[in-house]
Amino acid sequence: MQKFTTLTGLVVPLDRANVDTDAIIPKQFLKSIKRTGFGPNLFDEWRYLDHGEPGMDNSKRPINPDFVLNQARYKGAQILLARENFGCGSSREHAPWALLDYGIRAMLAPSYADIFYNNCFKNGILPIVVDTKTLEQLFREVQVTPGYPLNIDLAAQTVVTPSGQKISFELDAFRKQCLLNGLDDIGLTLQHVEAIRAYESKRKQEAPWLFS
Amino acid sequence: MQTLYDKLWNSHVVRDNGDGTSLIYIDRHLVHEVTSPQAFDGLRLAGRKPWRVSANLATPDHNVPTTQRTQGIVDPISRLQVDTLDQNCAEFGITEFKMLDVRQGIVHVIGPEQGATLPGMTVVCGDSHTSTHGAFGALAFGIGTSEVEHALATQCLILKKAKSMLVQVDGKAGNGVTAKDIILAIIGKIGTAGGSGYAIEFGGEAIRALSMEGRMTLCNMAIEAGARAGMVAVDAKTIDYIRGRPFAPRGELWDRALHSWHGLTSDAQATFDNVVSLNAADLKPQVTWGTSPEMVIDIDANIPDPATFSDQVKREGAKAALRYMGLAPNIPITSVALDKIFIGSCTNARIEDLRAAAVIVQGRKVAKNIKLAMVVPGSGLVKQQAEREGLDKIFRAAGFEWREPGCSMCLAMNADRLEPGERCASTSNRNFEGRQGQGGRTHLVSPAMAAAAAVFGRFVDVRELATSPLP
């Protein structure tokens, strides 16, 4: 997994609550058996005017000029500003894969759906929780300031705005360490093989029907 | 004093990691074709093998066609994904019910049907509707593909314990008010993020009165309320459902298991972080009008007017939803005409759901304005059972199509889908934009309500059907 330490990146605002994973990456693209290549189909139904299918040449498709990701001022954005309950719906990890493949490395929103939130950390994306008041301020500033960047420092747990305002955020110590070091969860868990074996042998005595 | 969730959690802690997370043992891992290929690739890349092969059970469900199945899958990309599951299961020795096996079906239907879901288990699957299995007093939740790989490789997951919520539904649900209506009403009350960060236990008289199929419908949509896990305490109905199923314990093991399952309830004095109460007697059949499951109203209500929403974000959301749905505010939901009817999905494709729909359909015809009405049983065994009871004949005689089992038009990954602008009464779980096909408009309802909508060509109150003249 890619490490996440610090990031200074352009912010793109997605002014919509309850953005679901079907919207982030529509189902027809879930047929891929790979982890990469989902970026061109991120928000496919909002981003293009035609119906997208796997295998299409996306560069030739008609784009929706009204959709925020298609506006020239947000080209190359790495930070997504979003609203509550972002990523609700299915457990598809294709959603963070699509965001990452597009270039998004961090998000700011007042809340995320649980599974999506968890999936972000497995893919080197930092989903930051901000309070509603700060969020409204950021939406206002981004909209009136072309080229609006934020500076994110994971170790310090801070976001700094162009005016120098410092916003602190919270996250779990474990998730922070994994992101900072790009740690592989499976490798970590396999350091506890003995504990897993011990649990299994005790459990086999108590509830043998679970092991048949 | 422990909640059911505490008991399930505590009995699966392999190790407290000391940083707020624990290593939690996974008893059952269900696998389907969409969220597993990258996980199996990960295992191969790292030279790892599944930790305990017998914990896994696989079936293809999202991509499978519901017609002419013996001819294989026409779409080459869907075919590759299903073939990849077959190859991965063969390579790693995982039990799989393949597409042409009568035991194949939607993963959340076949787990319980096979007795592969048992009380006291932890059950995971790369699918958010894994919450379904909580109906058996199990801790069951959906995971992403990275965690699928983690569960395969280590039989564990690194988890942070959720907060606990009790949704207490007292009273008796009236005739025509089903588990689907109860869960839609709960989501309408607490919102799609109301359960975020919580594991929900459903309790109360109305929940105890539900069949296991009803409890599965309820827990299935816990995720639509934002909760990764939903659960119901074990009682005699749970035990009766499991007895004799292929993967269930037998003989002396069954007796020992029974003894342990009886304790799978919340202690009387246990406290929850949050309690939500409803009275089932107050509930009416529910219909969603928007593009989120929380946008739901009673069948006798009017479509809401966004102008009356005080919260600006909700108001804008409602406006956008009505635009997408092609609906005007302040009109009765019963005046809304439909194009398609879908009875199926992991929410409502079990035998009891098909029976409830058949009762309404019997002796009636699908309305002329309905272009397609389809029933997609949840598994090959549900289909067989329904055919033994003659339900297929009732549906076919009315003008329904009787299909092969799978996820089908719940998410339209196979060929079954809505065309742009088409409106569907659907027994599935999500009414998101494009969920059933780009531009498609989904209204979530119970099987009986979907059947009634098929007959009348528009939404009707299923409670009035007995006295209503037929169209």
Side-chain angles (χ1 to χ4, degrees):
Chain A
M1 185 180 79
Q2 242 179 310
K3 285 183 191 181
F4 188 108
T5 50
T6 58
L7 172 70
T8 301
L10 181 68
V11 181
V12 58
L14 185 61
D15 192 2
R16 238 181 125 118
N18 297 311
V19 171
D20 58 73
T21 53
D22 280 81
I24 298 171
I25 182 83
K27 82 291 253 93
Q28 60 270 33
F29 304 107
L30 271 51
K31 295 177 186 181
S32 167
I33 56 172
K34 299 186 174 11
R35 269 177 192 265
T36 52
F38 296 103
N41 302 108
L42 175 70
F43 301 120
D44 197 272
E45 291 186 7
W46 294 338
R47 207 159 137 200
Y48 302 97
L49 295 169
D50 64 346
H51 174 73
E53 283 291 336
M56 286 170 84
D57 181 351
N58 294 297
S59 66
K60 299 204 168 117
R61 294 175 58 196
I63 65 159
N64 173 7
D66 296 332
F67 185 56
V68 70
L69 254 61
N70 289 330
Q71 293 169 19
R73 60 180 283 201
Y74 298 119
K75 196 172 157 53
Q78 289 179 285
I79 299 171
L80 185 70
L81 187 62
R83 291 206 177 270
E84 53 260 56
N85 202 27
F86 188 92
C88 61
S90 103
S91 67
R92 61 187 72 163
E93 201 159 317
H94 311 68
W97 293 341
L99 287 162
L100 188 67
D101 201 61
Y102 180 83
I104 300 294
R105 290 300 314 278
M107 299 189 52
L108 291 94
S111 62
Y112 303 88
D114 289 347
I115 304 178
F116 173 82
Y117 184 74
N118 197 45
N119 282 341
C120 283
F121 288 98
K122 313 286 182 196
N123 291 283
I125 297 176
L126 173 61
I128 296 171
V129 178
V130 289
D131 63 70
T132 314
K133 194 171 155 230
T134 308
L135 186 86
E136 296 303 340
Q137 177 207 327
L138 291 174
F139 264 105
R140 273 195 308 276
E141 289 181 8
V142 170
Q143 272 146 10
V144 300
T145 321
Y148 186 92
L150 286 173
N151 174 275
I152 299 169
D153 184 336
L154 176 56
Q157 294 180 221
T158 56
V159 178
V160 179
T161 72
S163 69
Q165 180 191 353
K166 196 179 268 186
I167 303 160
S168 297
F169 62 88
E170 298 295 321
L171 86 163
D172 295 337
F174 171 73
R175 286 173 165 144
K176 180 177 173 178
Q177 284 313 311
C178 286
L179 264 191
L180 279 173
N181 300 304
L183 292 178
D184 161 26
D185 281 3
I186 297 177
L188 287 178
T189 296
L190 289 174
Q191 293 172 6
H192 305 301
V193 164
E194 289 313 312
I196 303 172
R197 297 243 182 262
Y199 173 89
E200 278 186 329
S201 89
K202 177 171 80 72
R203 190 76 172 151
K204 267 181 204 166
Q205 301 294 317
E206 294 166 0
W209 60 89
L210 294 174
F211 294 84
S212 47
Chain B
M1 293 298 118
Q2 293 187 313
T3 63
L4 171 58
Y5 176 57
D6 291 332
K7 293 179 187 181
L8 293 168
W9 177 270
N10 291 341
S11 61
H12 288 87
V13 174
V14 169
R15 170 173 202 282
D16 182 338
N17 292 323
D19 57 6
T21 68
S22 295
L23 198 57
I24 295 293
Y25 192 79
I26 302 303
D27 296 312
R28 178 67 69 204
H29 179 209
L30 302 167
V31 181
H32 66 73
E33 79 277 19
V34 179
T35 53
S36 66
Q38 298 87 350
F40 284 114
D41 266 350
L43 285 189
R44 266 189 295 269
L45 269 171
R48 290 171 178 143
K49 296 257 180 270
W51 180 278
R52 185 160 69 81
V53 171
S54 66
N56 301 283
L57 177 62
T59 197
D61 55 7
H62 287 60
N63 281 278
V64 296
T66 57
T67 55
Q68 298 176 323
R69 188 166 281 186
T70 51
Q71 294 172 19
I73 302 174
V74 176
D75 175 359
I77 312 175
S78 284
R79 191 169 62 233
L80 175 64
Q81 201 165 50
V82 172
D83 288 349
T84 303
L85 179 69
D86 292 351
Q87 286 159 15
N88 284 328
C89 289
E91 179 183 339
F92 291 105
I94 291 170
T95 302
E96 182 196 5
F97 298 155
K98 292 188 188 180
M99 189 169 79
L100 296 178
D101 190 317
V102 71
R103 297 168 296 176
Q104 178 270 343
I106 306 173
V107 72
H108 308 308
V109 175
I110 71 162
E113 183 174 80
Q114 292 293 324
T117 300
L118 295 173
M121 273 185 166
T122 42
V123 181
V124 298
C125 173
D127 194 289
S128 60
H129 291 112
T130 308
S131 57
T132 308
H133 308 265
F136 291 84
L139 176 57
F141 52 92
I143 56 178
T145 298
S146 294
E147 287 185 320
V148 169
E149 185 181 339
H150 197 287
L152 280 166
T154 70
Q155 213 53 51
C156 293
L157 290 174
I158 301 168
L159 297 172
K160 188 182 165 190
K161 196 176 176 191
K163 292 177 286 183
S164 62
M165 180 188 289
L166 174 66
V167 175
Q168 175 83 12
V169 191
D170 292 314
K172 283 192 171 62
N175 204 15
V177 175
T178 67
K180 183 65 162 287
D181 302 297
I182 294 174
I183 187 63
L184 283 172
I186 292 168
I187 296 164
K189 185 179 168 94
I190 70 173
T192 50
S196 288
Y198 289 96
I200 294 181
E201 179 177 347
F202 299 97
E205 181 189 1
I207 307 302
R208 301 257 68 84
L210 291 174
S211 65
M212 289 314 295
E213 285 86 352
R215 293 177 193 180
M216 284 188 256
T217 300
L218 191 76
C219 291
N220 172 275
M221 289 187 71
I223 184 66
E224 261 52 73
R228 251 177 122 167
M231 64 196 79
V232 174
V234 171
D235 64 9
K237 285 181 190 173
T238 323
I239 308 292
D240 289 344
Y241 183 97
I242 296 163
R243 187 179 285 116
R245 294 192 181 263
F247 285 62
R250 288 167 197 282
E252 188 228 350
L253 274 187
W254 170 258
D255 296 335
R256 282 184 66 186
L258 268 193
H259 183 73
S260 113
W261 294 343
H262 281 307
L264 291 171
T265 58
S266 287
D267 296 331
Q269 302 304 316
T271 54
F272 291 81
D273 296 309
N274 199 347
V275 178
V276 173
S277 300
L278 279 83
N279 193 320
D282 300 337
L283 301 181
K284 297 173 180 176
Q286 303 286 300
V287 186
T288 64
W289 54 268
T291 53
S292 163
E294 71 183 30
M295 295 172 170
V296 65
I297 49 175
D298 294 343
I299 181 65
D300 57 5
N302 287 352
I303 293 168
D305 187 343
T308 64
F309 287 50
S310 55
D311 179 274
Q312 197 206 330
V313 173
K314 283 207 187 311
R315 187 163 61 240
E316 292 307 315
K319 276 190 206 162
L322 287 183
R323 224 173 11 250
Y324 180 85
M325 294 297 287
L327 291 173
N330 302 316
I331 60 164
I333 191 83
T334 49
S335 67
V336 175
L338 295 152
D339 301 304
K340 286 183 176 170
I341 308 292
F342 174 60
I343 298 177
S345 86
C346 58
T347 312
N348 279 129
R350 298 180 181 83
I351 189 68
E352 183 184 80
D353 301 314
L354 305 192
R355 287 176 190 146
V359 164
I360 303 294
V361 166
Q362 182 147 36
R364 293 173 167 138
K365 293 277 181 209
V366 170
K368 288 198 172 63
N369 60 306
I370 301 295
K371 298 177 202 164
L372 171 71
M374 62 197 290
V375 182
V376 183
S379 71
L381 292 173
V382 169
K383 181 167 183 259
Q384 252 184 8
Q385 172 73 23
E387 288 171 354
R388 270 200 299 275
E389 297 178 17
L391 305 186
D392 59 320
K393 291 190 183 69
I394 294 172
F395 285 118
R396 282 190 161 125
F400 274 85
E401 293 193 10
W402 180 249
R403 299 286 188 93
E404 300 294 332
C407 301
S408 179
M409 208 164 72
C410 173
L411 87 166
M413 269 189 85
N414 69 352
D416 309 332
R417 66 190 61 174
L418 298 180
E419 296 303 321
E422 282 184 342
R423 188 179 301 286
C424 181
S426 178
T427 66
S428 55
N429 40 59
R430 290 189 176 134
N431 51 350
F432 298 155
E433 283 186 20
R435 172 78 179 181
Q436 294 193 292
Q438 189 168 14
R441 294 160 172 168
T442 303
H443 296 269
L444 304 177
V445 287
S446 74
M449 284 285 286
V455 171
F456 285 80
R458 60 178 176 81
F459 289 112
V460 292
D461 188 339
V462 73
R463 298 172 302 172
E464 291 168 5
L465 256 198
T467 50
S468 290
L470 288 175

